[in-house]
Amino acid sequence: MKKLFTLLCLMLGLSSTSVLAASDNPVEIIKDGSRQVLDILKQDNGKNTKQVRQQAETVAVPLFDFPRMTALAVGLGWRQATPEQRDQLTQQFQTLLVRTYSTTMTRFKTAQVNVQPNPVVSANGKDATVKSSVTLPGNANPVAVDYVMYKSDKGWKIYNVSVEGASLVTVYRNSFNEEIRKTGVDGLIKLLQDKNAAPVAAAPATKSKG
């Protein structure tokens, strides 16, 4: 069993605008950002956990393209959505990701991150998949984590993450499409709103491929 979604805490703490300004290399952004977030998490002493999580979130969120992530996660339903619905979906999905998984961040303060030096580049250099492995506390077997990025006007942005071959946006897409078939786009928005209003539950786990 690989905890795809608990690993999102590492994804949510990868970088800040200072890293973006310092490097135009996606590998260096992931590498330097991983080091930054682990340094932040190590400050947790059991009494300042909330502040540590907030600090990690503050430096992380700007690196992600949440509208693009939401569009991929919603899939065909995105085309049906009005601009206002798209804005609501993006806001609620971002809130869901950050709110649910940031609570697990401090569990990974002793994780070891190894970023591979050669990304898989496509789309004339505008897309890059940065491969890494994460060794979690109490688990000697490293977990493969791929960060899918594209080069925007504001620098490299993450728009998907794959853990042991399991794509974050694909996992969400399956449940989102089912909800849209049942209740439409507004029904999905309502579902996300209800989840975000509920107490935070433990992050779910998923089986790895193979």
Side-chain angles (χ1 to χ4, degrees), residues 47-119:
K47 298 180 180 180
N48 63 347
T49 302
K50 182 178 180 180
Q51 290 78 8
V52 167
R53 290 203 309 263
Q54 289 175 340
Q55 185 179 358
E57 291 171 20
T58 298
V59 301
V61 169
L63 189 58
F64 290 85
D65 187 334
F66 283 104
R68 188 166 183 169
M69 289 181 71
T70 307
L72 290 172
V74 173
L76 294 176
W78 188 256
R79 299 179 184 177
Q80 306 170 16
T82 65
E84 181 180 355
Q85 287 174 322
R86 291 180 178 182
D87 287 343
Q88 292 183 60
L89 286 168
T90 300
Q91 178 183 355
Q92 295 300 326
F93 188 46
Q94 176 176 337
T95 299
L96 179 69
L97 292 177
V98 175
R99 179 176 181 267
T100 302
Y101 304 115
S102 67
T103 58
T104 68
M105 278 185 177
T106 55
R107 299 179 191 176
F108 300 91
K109 59 185 177 182
T110 59
Q112 299 295 317
V113 181
N114 180 29
V115 182
Q116 296 184 16
N118 299 315

Side-chain angles (χ1 to χ4, degrees), residues 36-54:
Q36 282 188 23
V37 72
L38 290 176
D39 286 345
I40 292 172
L41 297 182
K42 288 174 183 176
Q43 298 172 17
D44 178 55
N45 58 17
K47 298 180 180 180
N48 63 347
T49 302
K50 182 178 180 180
Q51 290 78 8
V52 167
R53 290 203 309 263
Q54 289 175 340

Side-chain angles (χ1 to χ4, degrees), residues 3-207:
K3 293 181 180 292
L4 166 63
F5 294 111
T6 55
L7 280 173
L8 185 62
C9 72
L10 293 176
M11 182 184 83
L12 287 173
L14 281 174
S15 191
S16 67
T17 52
S18 62
V19 174
L20 287 175
S23 175
D24 193 40
N25 185 319
V27 171
E28 291 303 316
I29 290 174
I30 297 297
K31 186 182 297 183
D32 293 346
S34 298
R35 185 162 51 245
Q36 282 188 23
V37 72
L38 290 176
D39 286 345
I40 292 172
L41 297 182
K42 288 174 183 176
Q43 298 172 17
D44 178 55
N45 58 17
K47 298 180 180 180
N48 63 347
T49 302
K50 182 178 180 180
Q51 290 78 8
V52 167
R53 290 203 309 263
Q54 289 175 340
Q55 185 179 358
E57 291 171 20
T58 298
V59 301
V61 169
L63 189 58
F64 290 85
D65 187 334
F66 283 104
R68 188 166 183 169
M69 289 181 71
T70 307
L72 290 172
V74 173
L76 294 176
W78 188 256
R79 299 179 184 177
Q80 306 170 16
T82 65
E84 181 180 355
Q85 287 174 322
R86 291 180 178 182
D87 287 343
Q88 292 183 60
L89 286 168
T90 300
Q91 178 183 355
Q92 295 300 326
F93 188 46
Q94 176 176 337
T95 299
L96 179 69
L97 292 177
V98 175
R99 179 176 181 267
T100 302
Y101 304 115
S102 67
T103 58
T104 68
M105 278 185 177
T106 55
R107 299 179 191 176
F108 300 91
K109 59 185 177 182
T110 59
Q112 299 295 317
V113 181
N114 180 29
V115 182
Q116 296 184 16
N118 299 315
V120 179
V121 179
S122 60
N124 295 321
K126 293 183 179 180
D127 274 79
T129 299
V130 178
K131 295 182 177 293
S132 73
S133 61
V134 179
T135 303
L136 303 174
N139 188 346
N141 298 319
V143 178
V145 183
D146 296 345
Y147 300 95
V148 187
M149 309 174 72
Y150 80 101
K151 192 173 185 180
S152 72
D153 293 339
K154 298 180 179 180
W156 288 96
K157 298 282 186 178
I158 297 172
Y159 68 92
N160 196 10
V161 174
S162 179
V163 178
E164 292 290 313
S167 162
L168 176 75
V169 297
T170 299
V171 171
Y172 274 109
R173 186 187 301 141
N174 294 335
S175 60
F176 285 1
N177 284 347
E178 182 178 356
E179 185 64 30
I180 289 175
R181 284 195 297 269
K182 292 179 179 178
T183 62
V185 174
D186 283 334
L188 176 58
I189 293 172
K190 178 64 163 57
L191 176 68
L192 293 173
Q193 289 173 336
D194 290 345
K195 285 181 178 294
N196 289 330
V200 176
T206 186
K207 291 183 179 180

